mmCIF file of all heavy atoms in Angstrom:
data_model
loop_
_atom_site.group_PDB
_atom_site.id
_atom_site.type_symbol
_atom_site.label_atom_id
_atom_site.label_comp_id
_atom_site.label_asym_id
_atom_site.label_seq_id
_atom_site.Cartn_x
_atom_site.Cartn_y
_atom_site.Cartn_z
ATOM 1 N N GLY G 103 54.692 17.138 -30.526
ATOM 2 C CA GLY G 103 54.381 18.046 -31.617
ATOM 3 C C GLY G 103 52.909 18.419 -31.641
ATOM 4 O O GLY G 103 52.540 19.570 -31.938
ATOM 5 N N TYR G 104 52.039 17.464 -31.324
ATOM 6 C CA TYR G 104 50.607 17.760 -31.258
ATOM 7 C C TYR G 104 50.315 18.726 -30.114
ATOM 8 O O TYR G 104 49.486 19.645 -30.263
ATOM 9 C CB TYR G 104 49.802 16.474 -31.084
ATOM 10 C CG TYR G 104 49.545 15.754 -32.383
ATOM 11 C CD1 TYR G 104 50.389 14.744 -32.823
ATOM 12 C CD2 TYR G 104 48.462 16.101 -33.187
ATOM 13 C CE1 TYR G 104 50.161 14.089 -34.027
ATOM 14 C CE2 TYR G 104 48.222 15.449 -34.380
ATOM 15 C CZ TYR G 104 49.076 14.440 -34.805
ATOM 16 O OH TYR G 104 48.842 13.808 -35.993
ATOM 17 N N ARG G 105 50.964 18.519 -28.986
ATOM 18 C CA ARG G 105 50.731 19.426 -27.858
ATOM 19 C C ARG G 105 51.209 20.840 -28.201
ATOM 20 O O ARG G 105 50.540 21.828 -27.863
ATOM 21 C CB ARG G 105 51.453 18.888 -26.616
ATOM 22 C CG ARG G 105 50.797 17.640 -26.032
ATOM 23 C CD ARG G 105 51.394 17.240 -24.714
ATOM 24 N NE ARG G 105 52.642 16.506 -24.868
ATOM 25 C CZ ARG G 105 52.723 15.176 -24.978
ATOM 26 N NH1 ARG G 105 51.622 14.442 -24.973
ATOM 27 N NH2 ARG G 105 53.892 14.578 -25.089
ATOM 28 N N GLU G 106 52.345 20.947 -28.879
ATOM 29 C CA GLU G 106 52.860 22.256 -29.275
ATOM 30 C C GLU G 106 51.921 22.934 -30.270
ATOM 31 O O GLU G 106 51.665 24.136 -30.186
ATOM 32 C CB GLU G 106 54.248 22.096 -29.883
ATOM 33 C CG GLU G 106 54.910 23.410 -30.269
ATOM 34 C CD GLU G 106 56.293 23.220 -30.860
ATOM 35 O OE1 GLU G 106 56.725 22.053 -31.033
ATOM 36 O OE2 GLU G 106 56.946 24.236 -31.167
ATOM 37 N N ALA G 107 51.407 22.150 -31.215
ATOM 38 C CA ALA G 107 50.495 22.708 -32.210
ATOM 39 C C ALA G 107 49.226 23.226 -31.560
ATOM 40 O O ALA G 107 48.721 24.314 -31.888
ATOM 41 C CB ALA G 107 50.164 21.649 -33.257
ATOM 42 N N TRP G 108 48.678 22.460 -30.601
ATOM 43 C CA TRP G 108 47.441 22.877 -29.954
ATOM 44 C C TRP G 108 47.655 24.118 -29.103
ATOM 45 O O TRP G 108 46.803 25.013 -29.068
ATOM 46 C CB TRP G 108 46.881 21.744 -29.105
ATOM 47 C CG TRP G 108 45.496 22.048 -28.613
ATOM 48 C CD1 TRP G 108 45.112 22.361 -27.345
ATOM 49 C CD2 TRP G 108 44.316 22.105 -29.414
ATOM 50 N NE1 TRP G 108 43.763 22.604 -27.299
ATOM 51 C CE2 TRP G 108 43.249 22.443 -28.558
ATOM 52 C CE3 TRP G 108 44.060 21.898 -30.767
ATOM 53 C CZ2 TRP G 108 41.940 22.591 -29.023
ATOM 54 C CZ3 TRP G 108 42.761 22.038 -31.228
ATOM 55 C CH2 TRP G 108 41.719 22.385 -30.359
ATOM 56 N N GLU G 109 48.784 24.198 -28.426
ATOM 57 C CA GLU G 109 49.096 25.389 -27.638
ATOM 58 C C GLU G 109 49.149 26.622 -28.531
ATOM 59 O O GLU G 109 48.636 27.693 -28.175
ATOM 60 C CB GLU G 109 50.425 25.194 -26.904
ATOM 61 C CG GLU G 109 50.812 26.365 -26.014
ATOM 62 C CD GLU G 109 52.115 26.115 -25.265
ATOM 63 O OE1 GLU G 109 52.617 24.969 -25.278
ATOM 64 O OE2 GLU G 109 52.622 27.078 -24.652
ATOM 65 N N LEU G 110 49.769 26.477 -29.710
ATOM 66 C CA LEU G 110 49.840 27.596 -30.648
ATOM 67 C C LEU G 110 48.452 27.985 -31.135
ATOM 68 O O LEU G 110 48.113 29.178 -31.216
ATOM 69 C CB LEU G 110 50.737 27.221 -31.831
ATOM 70 C CG LEU G 110 50.802 28.246 -32.970
ATOM 71 C CD1 LEU G 110 51.352 29.577 -32.467
ATOM 72 C CD2 LEU G 110 51.652 27.709 -34.121
ATOM 73 N N LEU G 111 47.624 27.004 -31.451
ATOM 74 C CA LEU G 111 46.273 27.296 -31.927
ATOM 75 C C LEU G 111 45.463 28.050 -30.873
ATOM 76 O O LEU G 111 44.751 29.018 -31.197
ATOM 77 C CB LEU G 111 45.559 25.999 -32.304
ATOM 78 C CG LEU G 111 45.964 25.372 -33.636
ATOM 79 C CD1 LEU G 111 45.417 23.956 -33.747
ATOM 80 C CD2 LEU G 111 45.471 26.225 -34.805
ATOM 81 N N GLU G 112 45.551 27.632 -29.626
ATOM 82 C CA GLU G 112 44.808 28.324 -28.573
ATOM 83 C C GLU G 112 45.277 29.774 -28.443
ATOM 84 O O GLU G 112 44.468 30.689 -28.271
ATOM 85 C CB GLU G 112 44.961 27.588 -27.255
ATOM 86 C CG GLU G 112 44.204 26.265 -27.183
ATOM 87 C CD GLU G 112 44.140 25.711 -25.776
ATOM 88 O OE1 GLU G 112 45.109 25.886 -25.016
ATOM 89 O OE2 GLU G 112 43.108 25.089 -25.437
ATOM 90 N N GLU G 113 46.587 29.966 -28.551
ATOM 91 C CA GLU G 113 47.130 31.324 -28.463
ATOM 92 C C GLU G 113 46.640 32.183 -29.626
ATOM 93 O O GLU G 113 46.225 33.338 -29.438
ATOM 94 C CB GLU G 113 48.657 31.256 -28.461
ATOM 95 C CG GLU G 113 49.339 32.613 -28.430
ATOM 96 C CD GLU G 113 50.853 32.491 -28.513
ATOM 97 O OE1 GLU G 113 51.391 31.412 -28.179
ATOM 98 O OE2 GLU G 113 51.504 33.472 -28.927
ATOM 99 N N LEU G 114 46.667 31.640 -30.836
ATOM 100 C CA LEU G 114 46.233 32.395 -32.008
ATOM 101 C C LEU G 114 44.736 32.701 -31.945
ATOM 102 O O LEU G 114 44.307 33.823 -32.260
ATOM 103 C CB LEU G 114 46.559 31.612 -33.279
ATOM 104 C CG LEU G 114 48.044 31.473 -33.619
ATOM 105 C CD1 LEU G 114 48.242 30.511 -34.787
ATOM 106 C CD2 LEU G 114 48.652 32.836 -33.951
ATOM 107 N N TRP G 115 43.948 31.726 -31.521
ATOM 108 C CA TRP G 115 42.511 31.947 -31.439
ATOM 109 C C TRP G 115 42.158 32.979 -30.370
ATOM 110 O O TRP G 115 41.194 33.730 -30.517
ATOM 111 C CB TRP G 115 41.787 30.626 -31.184
ATOM 112 C CG TRP G 115 41.330 29.971 -32.442
ATOM 113 C CD1 TRP G 115 41.812 28.834 -33.025
ATOM 114 C CD2 TRP G 115 40.266 30.417 -33.300
ATOM 115 N NE1 TRP G 115 41.131 28.542 -34.180
ATOM 116 C CE2 TRP G 115 40.167 29.493 -34.370
ATOM 117 C CE3 TRP G 115 39.379 31.493 -33.271
ATOM 118 C CZ2 TRP G 115 39.233 29.630 -35.404
ATOM 119 C CZ3 TRP G 115 38.441 31.635 -34.286
ATOM 120 C CH2 TRP G 115 38.382 30.707 -35.332
ATOM 121 N N ASP G 116 42.926 33.025 -29.293
ATOM 122 C CA ASP G 116 42.688 34.054 -28.274
ATOM 123 C C ASP G 116 42.787 35.442 -28.898
ATOM 124 O O ASP G 116 41.958 36.320 -28.628
ATOM 125 C CB ASP G 116 43.696 33.917 -27.132
ATOM 126 C CG ASP G 116 43.369 32.772 -26.178
ATOM 127 O OD1 ASP G 116 42.234 32.253 -26.252
ATOM 128 O OD2 ASP G 116 44.252 32.390 -25.379
ATOM 129 N N GLY G 117 43.800 35.634 -29.750
ATOM 130 C CA GLY G 117 43.951 36.921 -30.421
ATOM 131 C C GLY G 117 42.811 37.204 -31.383
ATOM 132 O O GLY G 117 42.328 38.344 -31.489
ATOM 133 N N THR G 118 42.345 36.177 -32.083
ATOM 134 C CA THR G 118 41.245 36.360 -33.025
ATOM 135 C C THR G 118 39.953 36.698 -32.292
ATOM 136 O O THR G 118 39.178 37.560 -32.731
ATOM 137 C CB THR G 118 41.061 35.089 -33.874
ATOM 138 O OG1 THR G 118 42.269 34.836 -34.611
ATOM 139 C CG2 THR G 118 39.913 35.240 -34.853
ATOM 140 N N VAL G 119 39.708 36.040 -31.174
ATOM 141 C CA VAL G 119 38.497 36.331 -30.393
ATOM 142 C C VAL G 119 38.555 37.756 -29.840
ATOM 143 O O VAL G 119 37.552 38.481 -29.847
ATOM 144 C CB VAL G 119 38.326 35.301 -29.260
ATOM 145 C CG1 VAL G 119 37.232 35.743 -28.289
ATOM 146 C CG2 VAL G 119 37.983 33.932 -29.845
ATOM 147 N N ASP G 120 39.718 38.178 -29.362
ATOM 148 C CA ASP G 120 39.864 39.551 -28.877
ATOM 149 C C ASP G 120 39.538 40.554 -29.987
ATOM 150 O O ASP G 120 38.904 41.586 -29.749
ATOM 151 C CB ASP G 120 41.283 39.789 -28.358
ATOM 152 C CG ASP G 120 41.550 39.097 -27.031
ATOM 153 O OD1 ASP G 120 40.570 38.708 -26.358
ATOM 154 O OD2 ASP G 120 42.728 38.934 -26.675
ATOM 155 N N ARG G 121 39.974 40.234 -31.196
ATOM 156 C CA ARG G 121 39.686 41.104 -32.342
ATOM 157 C C ARG G 121 38.190 41.153 -32.606
ATOM 158 O O ARG G 121 37.621 42.217 -32.871
ATOM 159 C CB ARG G 121 40.428 40.588 -33.577
ATOM 160 C CG ARG G 121 40.272 41.446 -34.812
ATOM 161 C CD ARG G 121 41.060 40.861 -35.982
ATOM 162 N NE ARG G 121 41.008 41.726 -37.137
ATOM 163 C CZ ARG G 121 41.610 41.466 -38.297
ATOM 164 N NH1 ARG G 121 42.307 40.337 -38.444
ATOM 165 N NH2 ARG G 121 41.519 42.308 -39.318
ATOM 166 N N ALA G 122 37.527 40.004 -32.519
ATOM 167 C CA ALA G 122 36.088 39.947 -32.770
ATOM 168 C C ALA G 122 35.312 40.726 -31.723
ATOM 169 O O ALA G 122 34.276 41.347 -32.031
ATOM 170 C CB ALA G 122 35.629 38.487 -32.792
ATOM 171 N N ARG G 123 35.762 40.717 -30.482
ATOM 172 C CA ARG G 123 35.046 41.409 -29.398
ATOM 173 C C ARG G 123 35.008 42.915 -29.629
ATOM 174 O O ARG G 123 34.143 43.599 -29.068
ATOM 175 C CB ARG G 123 35.712 41.113 -28.059
ATOM 176 C CG ARG G 123 35.411 39.734 -27.506
ATOM 177 C CD ARG G 123 35.809 39.663 -26.044
ATOM 178 N NE ARG G 123 35.591 38.346 -25.472
ATOM 179 C CZ ARG G 123 34.411 37.897 -25.048
ATOM 180 N NH1 ARG G 123 33.345 38.674 -25.135
ATOM 181 N NH2 ARG G 123 34.311 36.689 -24.527
ATOM 182 N N ARG G 124 35.919 43.448 -30.409
ATOM 183 C CA ARG G 124 35.943 44.887 -30.656
ATOM 184 C C ARG G 124 34.871 45.329 -31.662
ATOM 185 O O ARG G 124 34.691 46.529 -31.886
ATOM 186 C CB ARG G 124 37.331 45.310 -31.131
ATOM 187 C CG ARG G 124 38.415 45.154 -30.063
ATOM 188 C CD ARG G 124 39.693 45.870 -30.441
ATOM 189 N NE ARG G 124 40.413 45.206 -31.499
ATOM 190 C CZ ARG G 124 41.346 44.257 -31.312
ATOM 191 N NH1 ARG G 124 41.641 43.870 -30.066
ATOM 192 N NH2 ARG G 124 41.969 43.715 -32.325
ATOM 193 N N LEU G 125 34.188 44.359 -32.268
ATOM 194 C CA LEU G 125 33.135 44.675 -33.224
ATOM 195 C C LEU G 125 31.760 44.700 -32.556
ATOM 196 O O LEU G 125 31.569 44.129 -31.474
ATOM 197 C CB LEU G 125 33.124 43.634 -34.345
ATOM 198 C CG LEU G 125 34.305 43.651 -35.324
ATOM 199 C CD1 LEU G 125 34.240 42.424 -36.226
ATOM 200 C CD2 LEU G 125 34.302 44.925 -36.158
ATOM 201 N N ASP G 126 30.821 45.336 -33.216
ATOM 202 C CA ASP G 126 29.423 45.271 -32.793
ATOM 203 C C ASP G 126 29.010 43.803 -32.783
ATOM 204 O O ASP G 126 29.215 43.090 -33.772
ATOM 205 C CB ASP G 126 28.574 46.055 -33.783
ATOM 206 C CG ASP G 126 27.099 46.092 -33.412
ATOM 207 O OD1 ASP G 126 26.623 45.174 -32.708
ATOM 208 O OD2 ASP G 126 26.419 47.037 -33.831
ATOM 209 N N PRO G 127 28.421 43.294 -31.677
ATOM 210 C CA PRO G 127 28.028 41.880 -31.618
ATOM 211 C C PRO G 127 27.160 41.435 -32.794
ATOM 212 O O PRO G 127 27.224 40.276 -33.206
ATOM 213 C CB PRO G 127 27.266 41.786 -30.290
ATOM 214 C CG PRO G 127 27.853 42.874 -29.449
ATOM 215 C CD PRO G 127 28.166 43.995 -30.398
ATOM 216 N N ALA G 128 26.372 42.340 -33.353
ATOM 217 C CA ALA G 128 25.520 41.963 -34.485
ATOM 218 C C ALA G 128 26.354 41.569 -35.696
ATOM 219 O O ALA G 128 25.951 40.708 -36.491
ATOM 220 C CB ALA G 128 24.578 43.111 -34.842
ATOM 221 N N LEU G 129 27.518 42.180 -35.851
ATOM 222 C CA LEU G 129 28.366 41.863 -36.997
ATOM 223 C C LEU G 129 28.926 40.449 -36.923
ATOM 224 O O LEU G 129 29.286 39.867 -37.952
ATOM 225 C CB LEU G 129 29.526 42.863 -37.086
ATOM 226 C CG LEU G 129 29.165 44.279 -37.515
ATOM 227 C CD1 LEU G 129 30.396 45.169 -37.477
ATOM 228 C CD2 LEU G 129 28.543 44.290 -38.906
ATOM 229 N N LEU G 130 28.988 39.876 -35.739
ATOM 230 C CA LEU G 130 29.530 38.527 -35.594
ATOM 231 C C LEU G 130 28.564 37.468 -36.109
ATOM 232 O O LEU G 130 28.924 36.298 -36.211
ATOM 233 C CB LEU G 130 29.876 38.262 -34.126
ATOM 234 C CG LEU G 130 30.873 39.241 -33.500
ATOM 235 C CD1 LEU G 130 31.214 38.811 -32.086
ATOM 236 C CD2 LEU G 130 32.131 39.360 -34.343
ATOM 237 N N HIS G 131 27.335 37.894 -36.434
ATOM 238 C CA HIS G 131 26.372 36.997 -37.079
ATOM 239 C C HIS G 131 26.271 37.282 -38.581
ATOM 240 O O HIS G 131 25.457 36.671 -39.264
ATOM 241 C CB HIS G 131 24.985 37.163 -36.455
ATOM 242 C CG HIS G 131 24.889 36.658 -35.048
ATOM 243 N ND1 HIS G 131 24.889 35.314 -34.736
ATOM 244 C CD2 HIS G 131 24.815 37.318 -33.858
ATOM 245 C CE1 HIS G 131 24.796 35.165 -33.428
ATOM 246 N NE2 HIS G 131 24.766 36.354 -32.868
ATOM 247 N N GLU G 132 27.101 38.188 -39.064
ATOM 248 C CA GLU G 132 26.998 38.615 -40.457
ATOM 249 C C GLU G 132 27.911 37.786 -41.347
ATOM 250 O O GLU G 132 29.073 37.548 -41.031
ATOM 251 C CB GLU G 132 27.355 40.100 -40.574
ATOM 252 C CG GLU G 132 27.056 40.687 -41.934
ATOM 253 C CD GLU G 132 27.151 42.196 -41.933
ATOM 254 O OE1 GLU G 132 26.677 42.813 -40.952
ATOM 255 O OE2 GLU G 132 27.687 42.758 -42.904
ATOM 256 N N SER G 133 27.378 37.344 -42.481
ATOM 257 C CA SER G 133 28.152 36.571 -43.446
ATOM 258 C C SER G 133 28.937 37.517 -44.351
ATOM 259 O O SER G 133 28.473 38.605 -44.691
ATOM 260 C CB SER G 133 27.223 35.692 -44.286
ATOM 261 O OG SER G 133 27.911 35.112 -45.370
ATOM 262 N N VAL G 134 30.117 37.080 -44.750
ATOM 263 C CA VAL G 134 30.932 37.816 -45.719
ATOM 264 C C VAL G 134 31.067 36.946 -46.968
ATOM 265 O O VAL G 134 31.594 35.835 -46.901
ATOM 266 C CB VAL G 134 32.327 38.147 -45.142
ATOM 267 C CG1 VAL G 134 33.186 38.809 -46.214
ATOM 268 C CG2 VAL G 134 32.203 39.053 -43.931
ATOM 269 N N ASP G 135 30.548 37.439 -48.084
ATOM 270 C CA ASP G 135 30.627 36.717 -49.365
ATOM 271 C C ASP G 135 30.050 35.301 -49.269
ATOM 272 O O ASP G 135 30.593 34.350 -49.850
ATOM 273 C CB ASP G 135 32.072 36.656 -49.859
ATOM 274 C CG ASP G 135 32.620 38.032 -50.193
ATOM 275 O OD1 ASP G 135 31.815 38.916 -50.567
ATOM 276 O OD2 ASP G 135 33.847 38.234 -50.079
ATOM 277 N N GLY G 136 28.966 35.168 -48.508
ATOM 278 C CA GLY G 136 28.298 33.883 -48.426
ATOM 279 C C GLY G 136 28.957 32.868 -47.512
ATOM 280 O O GLY G 136 28.486 31.731 -47.400
ATOM 281 N N GLU G 137 30.051 33.251 -46.837
ATOM 282 C CA GLU G 137 30.739 32.333 -45.928
ATOM 283 C C GLU G 137 30.065 32.366 -44.559
ATOM 284 O O GLU G 137 29.217 33.198 -44.273
ATOM 285 C CB GLU G 137 32.216 32.726 -45.799
ATOM 286 C CG GLU G 137 32.989 32.722 -47.114
ATOM 287 C CD GLU G 137 33.246 31.326 -47.633
ATOM 288 O OE1 GLU G 137 33.021 30.346 -46.883
ATOM 289 O OE2 GLU G 137 33.674 31.197 -48.802
ATOM 290 N N TRP G 138 30.504 31.439 -43.679
ATOM 291 C CA TRP G 138 29.957 31.431 -42.331
ATOM 292 C C TRP G 138 30.279 32.730 -41.597
ATOM 293 O O TRP G 138 31.353 33.325 -41.783
ATOM 294 C CB TRP G 138 30.548 30.272 -41.527
ATOM 295 C CG TRP G 138 29.891 28.961 -41.800
ATOM 296 C CD1 TRP G 138 28.599 28.736 -42.170
ATOM 297 C CD2 TRP G 138 30.500 27.672 -41.709
ATOM 298 N NE1 TRP G 138 28.363 27.388 -42.316
ATOM 299 C CE2 TRP G 138 29.512 26.723 -42.040
ATOM 300 C CE3 TRP G 138 31.779 27.237 -41.371
ATOM 301 C CZ2 TRP G 138 29.766 25.355 -42.046
ATOM 302 C CZ3 TRP G 138 32.040 25.885 -41.381
ATOM 303 C CH2 TRP G 138 31.041 24.946 -41.714
ATOM 304 N N SER G 139 29.366 33.128 -40.723
ATOM 305 C CA SER G 139 29.660 34.236 -39.823
ATOM 306 C C SER G 139 30.705 33.781 -38.801
ATOM 307 O O SER G 139 31.039 32.597 -38.710
ATOM 308 C CB SER G 139 28.387 34.672 -39.093
ATOM 309 O OG SER G 139 27.972 33.655 -38.171
ATOM 310 N N PHE G 140 31.205 34.731 -38.015
ATOM 311 C CA PHE G 140 32.193 34.384 -36.994
ATOM 312 C C PHE G 140 31.598 33.401 -35.994
ATOM 313 O O PHE G 140 32.246 32.412 -35.614
ATOM 314 C CB PHE G 140 32.684 35.644 -36.279
ATOM 315 C CG PHE G 140 33.812 35.387 -35.327
ATOM 316 C CD1 PHE G 140 35.101 35.188 -35.794
ATOM 317 C CD2 PHE G 140 33.590 35.323 -33.955
ATOM 318 C CE1 PHE G 140 36.156 34.934 -34.919
ATOM 319 C CE2 PHE G 140 34.629 35.068 -33.077
ATOM 320 C CZ PHE G 140 35.921 34.867 -33.567
ATOM 321 N N ILE G 141 30.356 33.657 -35.561
ATOM 322 C CA ILE G 141 29.702 32.769 -34.609
ATOM 323 C C ILE G 141 29.525 31.379 -35.211
ATOM 324 O O ILE G 141 29.767 30.353 -34.550
ATOM 325 C CB ILE G 141 28.329 33.340 -34.181
ATOM 326 C CG1 ILE G 141 28.507 34.669 -33.431
ATOM 327 C CG2 ILE G 141 27.578 32.337 -33.304
ATOM 328 C CD1 ILE G 141 29.207 34.572 -32.103
ATOM 329 N N GLU G 142 29.108 31.316 -36.467
ATOM 330 C CA GLU G 142 28.921 30.019 -37.115
ATOM 331 C C GLU G 142 30.233 29.263 -37.243
ATOM 332 O O GLU G 142 30.267 28.029 -37.138
ATOM 333 C CB GLU G 142 28.276 30.208 -38.491
ATOM 334 C CG GLU G 142 26.818 30.600 -38.411
ATOM 335 C CD GLU G 142 26.247 30.990 -39.756
ATOM 336 O OE1 GLU G 142 27.018 31.487 -40.616
ATOM 337 O OE2 GLU G 142 25.035 30.815 -39.958
ATOM 338 N N THR G 143 31.320 29.982 -37.466
ATOM 339 C CA THR G 143 32.633 29.338 -37.546
ATOM 340 C C THR G 143 32.980 28.655 -36.227
ATOM 341 O O THR G 143 33.437 27.499 -36.205
ATOM 342 C CB THR G 143 33.712 30.378 -37.894
ATOM 343 O OG1 THR G 143 33.460 30.897 -39.208
ATOM 344 C CG2 THR G 143 35.105 29.760 -37.860
ATOM 345 N N LEU G 144 32.760 29.345 -35.108
ATOM 346 C CA LEU G 144 33.024 28.745 -33.799
ATOM 347 C C LEU G 144 32.104 27.556 -33.542
ATOM 348 O O LEU G 144 32.520 26.546 -32.950
ATOM 349 C CB LEU G 144 32.857 29.791 -32.699
ATOM 350 C CG LEU G 144 33.817 30.987 -32.734
ATOM 351 C CD1 LEU G 144 33.538 31.924 -31.562
ATOM 352 C CD2 LEU G 144 35.269 30.539 -32.723
#
Side-chain angles (χ1 to χ4, degrees):
Y104 277 94
R105 288 188 280 270
E106 183 180 3
W108 190 252
E109 182 178 350
L110 174 61
L111 283 168
E112 288 192 325
E113 178 183 338
L114 291 172
W115 266 110
D116 283 347
T118 299
V119 169
D120 287 343
R121 183 179 185 180
R123 284 194 182 279
R124 293 193 287 270
L125 290 171
D126 182 335
L129 289 177
L130 302 184
H131 291 288
E132 190 168 319
S133 170
V134 175
D135 295 331
E137 301 288 349
W138 279 330
S139 69
F140 187 77
I141 296 294
E142 288 171 331
T143 295
L144 297 181

